Amino acid sequence: MNDFNIQKYINNERYIALVDCDSFFCSCERKLNPALKGKPVCVVTGERGCVVARSKEAKAMGIKMGEPVFMALRDYPKCIYVTANHYNYLKISKEVMSILQSLSPQVEVYSIDEAFLDVTKLMGVYKKNYFDFAKFVQDKILKEVDIPVSIGVSKSKTLAKIASYKAKTTKERVVLIGKRKIPKALKDTKVSDVWGIGRRLDVRCKTLGIFTALDFTNKDDFFIKANFGKNGLLTKYELLGNAINEVTNEYTPPKSIMDTQSFLVFTTELDYIKNELLVHIHMACLKLRYAECKCKKIGVILKRKDFLCKFLESKLEYATNFELDITDTAFSLLNLMYEKNVLYRSVGIVLEDICNEGNEQLDFFVDEKKIIKSENLGKAIDALEEKYGKNVVKLGFENKKAPNKQGFLTSPKGK
């Protein structure tokens, strides 16, 4: 056990909050179009795609996450279906995270709609207890960004996750699991709902007689270590209220970024496919710049009508997050895969070998001035879109999108 330095964290008295935006994509669409508030809304990846977010009203209708859009339209025609616009979601996420960072010096952005805060030392600053502080944060985000959030507060990240999950089912949408409430919370939590265990290990847990989080913590360290390894042992002590996994401001870059979407109509036109690929390259690069990262390798996905999928990848000359540095290579890969007279349903881009800005290895022969110029152009495009809306600057081909079919809303452009 000492190999993992767990003793160092035993009785580590911390309180950690997890702020989780409620049905984030749907909440963003309602912020941009208030007429959607109170109505069943699903955000989808396109008419040939699937459901990726549901409002509580849509959930109550029975619409499932990941359900194909054609089935949802057929079975639930009264729901409103909105095509996802990740550009808007990134902007709104940044607003939420900026508020959290203004309230606490220790904020760990976990995903586009979740963040951990170490609130241990903030009670004296704000003159509030943990529950009231969480309500204060919740109200501030709703008032300033118009995004509802659920907040779980407890003594570790794993317990804060459980508290946040429970908060979504309460009227207040805030749950505090203090030291005395931990045993009951563990007893009421399925082991499959524990962060780090999930459905992947659920079957193994059940074969070992573990059905709840409390069952998991009741097993001795040797048993947990033998069956679940180091991470299982860390999870056990997190569940017991020890802050093993501390909140950190350090950002870990994603392993890859992918952006793809089905066409509204099948097509054989290479120029149309290239235009759609440009849109995905732009969105992927926007995500890279938002994360303050660069990539050194890219891949292109091309899917035929019959679902046969082709994928080619290539290394770049240098790490970048600028569209035009990626486009030529992406088009070369696309040209190698494209076949005339074949109907295609989608195209996409994958960015890999990602590193933080400033940590990339520069080749001795790379033109550094060119890199700086690309970085400045990328930031200029972001600034223009921030002010005037998405796609105010178009790269390459004219955008010849197929008409939007009846029954769908197109997500509004940026403010």
Side-chain angles (χ1 to χ4, degrees), residues 100-112:
L100 298 179
Q101 288 161 347
S102 72
L103 295 173
S104 171
Q106 290 179 282
V107 177
E108 182 178 334
V109 179
Y110 181 64
S111 67
I112 191 172

Side-chain angles (χ1 to χ4, degrees), residues 74-87:
R74 180 194 66 199
D75 298 336
Y76 309 98
K78 292 185 178 180
C79 185
I80 300 169
Y81 299 91
V82 186
T83 302
N85 186 328
H86 293 282
Y87 173 80

Side-chain angles (χ1 to χ4, degrees), residues 39-300:
K39 298 178 181 179
V41 177
C42 282
V43 175
V44 301
T45 56
E47 290 189 50
R48 299 185 186 277
C50 62
V51 174
V52 293
R54 305 159 296 161
S55 68
K56 65 179 182 180
E57 295 84 1
K59 292 176 184 177
M61 293 173 71
I63 301 176
K64 296 179 176 60
M65 182 68 80
E67 186 165 354
V69 173
F70 78 90
M71 291 176 60
L73 280 167
R74 180 194 66 199
D75 298 336
Y76 309 98
K78 292 185 178 180
C79 185
I80 300 169
Y81 299 91
V82 186
T83 302
N85 186 328
H86 293 282
Y87 173 80
N88 287 334
Y89 308 154
L90 282 169
K91 284 180 62 179
I92 295 170
S93 172
K94 196 170 184 179
E95 293 178 43
V96 173
M97 300 309 167
S98 293
I99 288 178
L100 298 179
Q101 288 161 347
S102 72
L103 295 173
S104 171
Q106 290 179 282
V107 177
E108 182 178 334
V109 179
Y110 181 64
S111 67
I112 191 172
D113 61 347
E114 290 180 285
F116 289 102
L117 287 76
D118 189 325
V119 297
T120 309
K121 298 180 180 179
L122 298 183
M123 301 308 97
V125 176
Y126 292 97
K127 309 299 181 186
K128 300 176 186 296
N129 60 35
Y130 293 117
F131 185 89
D132 289 341
F133 177 72
K135 288 296 295 179
F136 167 72
V137 173
Q138 183 186 64
D139 293 341
K140 186 175 179 66
I141 293 173
L142 185 63
K143 180 180 178 181
E144 297 185 17
V145 192
D146 196 20
I147 294 293
V149 300
S150 297
I151 303 178
V153 184
S154 195
K155 295 177 67 61
S156 70
K157 280 185 178 179
T158 305
L159 287 172
K161 270 276 191 180
I162 291 174
S164 175
Y165 179 79
K166 293 181 182 299
K168 291 184 179 296
T169 63
T170 67
K171 183 179 179 180
E172 298 271 6
R173 299 198 322 283
V174 171
V175 165
L176 169 65
I177 299 177
K179 187 173 182 178
R180 287 181 297 177
K181 293 183 179 180
I182 290 176
K184 185 178 186 307
L186 297 182
K187 183 180 179 180
D188 294 340
T189 301
K190 295 178 182 178
V191 72
S192 58
D193 291 333
V194 174
W195 187 37
I197 296 177
R199 294 181 181 177
R200 183 175 61 87
L201 297 175
D202 187 37
V203 174
R204 187 194 300 178
C205 286
K206 287 178 178 177
T207 60
L208 296 171
I210 300 172
F211 299 93
T212 68
L214 185 62
D215 293 336
F216 190 85
T217 59
N218 283 338
K219 298 294 183 180
D220 63 50
D221 290 356
F222 180 81
F223 179 91
I224 294 295
K225 186 176 173 183
N227 288 281
F228 301 98
K230 170 187 173 181
N231 290 334
L233 198 55
L234 298 180
T235 296
K236 172 184 172 178
Y237 278 88
E238 282 260 317
L239 288 170
L240 290 172
N242 302 283
I244 309 291
N245 189 4
E246 297 181 316
V247 175
T248 173
N249 292 328
E250 294 180 6
Y251 178 76
T252 302
K255 293 182 178 180
S256 65
I257 290 176
M258 181 173 70
D259 200 271
T260 184
Q261 186 172 325
S262 298
F263 306 141
L264 292 180
V265 292
F266 300 129
T267 185
T268 61
E269 295 295 323
L270 180 59
D271 281 356
Y272 179 81
I273 296 172
K274 284 184 175 181
N275 178 74
E276 293 299 296
L277 181 56
L278 278 174
V279 173
H280 297 308
I281 290 172
H282 174 56
M283 283 307 306
C285 285
L286 180 67
K287 293 173 186 176
L288 262 186
R289 291 193 290 269
Y290 174 78
E292 298 183 352
C293 293
K294 293 182 178 182
C295 72
K296 189 68 185 292
K297 184 166 72 172
I298 69 165
V300 173

